[in-house]
Amino acid sequence: MRFAKGHGTENDFVILPDPDGELELTEETVRLLCDRRAGLGGDGILRVVRTSARGEALAPAARTGERPEWFMDYRNADGSVAEMCGNGVRVFARYLLHAGLVFENRFEIGTRDGAKQVSIEDDGQVTVDMGRVEMQGSSSAKLARQAVHGAQISVGNPHLACEVTGPVADVDLSEPPVLDPEAFPEGANVEVYARTGPGSLEMRVFERGSGETRSCGTGIVAAASAATQSGESATWKVRVLGGECTVLLDASGARLRGPAVIVAEGETYLA
């Protein structure tokens, strides 16, 4: 089975080219591929499949009225299916261009959260239009050594973005957060963030299905949205363990800009 490996601010993914949708990806296979000792290692799987091979249920209409040619079938490291991945869609876009599957620097990608417009910039950064962020009230979570409170947010997938006092490095994310099951019946990503200056945040994240990761694109957008007054436009630089991304918020929604690189290609015999 052919694969590639890529990352966006060190949120890393195993990329599986499967244009005709022939692979049977079981949870066990995903877990093995993502295992950092017995497998290739990754926070998740990006399966590259033609939208036409996925069927109508997973072929959302694009803003142009036409379906994107390529669909990002994203799986968390534990094998579970996720609706959206902000770093993943940037890495997916980079791979499409790298592999000669697209030829323009601006195109759309199908996801379970609808079609996403991506732009590959001249400086190598990749910008994805994340659409509108849905603020859903407030909630709380119990971490290993403290309780945190914050904004319940949907960025196509569920988040709890919690502002903390003091450095985010002091927060213990060694255990899965305990969430309100009524607020988050399918779990959520939990972000802790702190303001470090005008227009700048630092953030850490415990991702549903993956544990603490070096970065989370949708989580970065969620933290920036939680830090912004309702109705305001804002630009945030968000520092995570794996680097930095920029979030631009305005009335049309959120755009996420950051690096995305392909680091390896090869063949695996794990599946």
Side-chain angles (χ1 to χ4, degrees):
M1 180 169 59
R2 298 295 300 173
F3 76 92
K5 184 76 184 288
H7 76 90
T9 51
E10 299 181 6
N11 195 189
D12 62 335
F13 308 94
V14 177
I15 304 160
L16 300 178
D18 183 28
D20 298 320
E22 297 174 340
L23 291 178
E24 290 294 332
L25 268 187
T26 65
E27 290 187 4
E28 181 181 5
T29 298
V30 172
R31 288 195 297 268
L32 179 58
L33 288 168
C34 291
D35 190 296
R36 297 192 182 279
R37 293 179 175 82
L40 298 172
D43 294 323
I45 296 285
L46 302 173
R47 184 161 72 120
V48 182
V49 60
R50 284 193 175 89
T51 300
S52 58
R54 295 296 297 158
E56 293 297 327
L58 293 179
R63 295 180 184 181
T64 59
E66 299 179 358
R67 296 189 309 183
E69 181 178 3
W70 297 101
F71 181 86
M72 182 182 76
D73 179 14
Y74 178 65
R75 314 293 178 95
N76 294 313
D78 68 352
S80 60
V81 173
E83 302 90 341
M84 180 54 186
C85 179
N87 287 325
V89 75
R90 296 198 327 277
V91 172
F92 191 96
R94 172 65 67 195
Y95 177 79
L96 292 180
L97 193 64
H98 167 82
L101 299 177
V102 298
F103 300 98
E104 304 294 333
N105 285 348
R106 184 175 176 86
F107 50 91
E108 289 184 319
I109 293 170
T111 77
R112 291 185 174 86
D113 186 45
K116 304 297 180 184
Q117 181 80 49
V118 297
S119 300
I120 300 178
E121 314 294 347
D122 291 341
D123 62 359
Q125 299 275 299
V126 180
T127 300
V128 54
D129 187 341
M130 302 289 287
R132 292 186 180 277
V133 177
E134 185 179 348
M135 309 299 289
Q136 300 175 327
S138 60
S139 190
S140 60
K142 184 180 182 301
L143 305 181
R145 291 189 288 129
Q146 69 186 95
V148 291
H149 308 275
Q152 183 177 345
I153 299 173
S154 174
V155 191
N157 57 349
H159 292 264
L160 179 65
C162 305
E163 186 169 7
V164 296
T165 57
V168 297
D170 293 344
V171 178
D172 188 345
L173 293 179
S174 61
E175 299 177 9
V178 179
L179 295 158
D180 179 353
E182 292 188 5
F184 299 104
E186 297 180 355
N189 295 357
V190 175
E191 292 81 33
V192 291
Y193 71 91
R195 300 168 194 263
T196 54
S200 63
L201 305 172
E202 62 173 0
M203 187 198 87
R204 287 172 60 206
V205 58
F206 193 103
E207 286 201 63
R208 175 186 60 168
S210 297
E212 184 178 7
T213 56
R214 302 281 295 174
S215 179
C216 172
T218 53
I220 287 170
V221 173
S225 300
T228 304
Q229 291 291 328
S230 178
E232 288 188 356
S233 296
T235 298
W236 293 96
K237 299 286 188 182
V238 182
R239 169 66 56 175
V240 292
L241 296 175
E244 184 177 271
C245 287
T246 301
V247 180
L248 301 97
L249 299 167
D250 57 30
S252 66
R255 290 173 301 286
L256 174 68
R257 178 179 299 144
V261 296
I262 305 301
V263 299
E265 290 182 284
E267 187 170 347
T268 177
Y269 304 98
L270 291 174

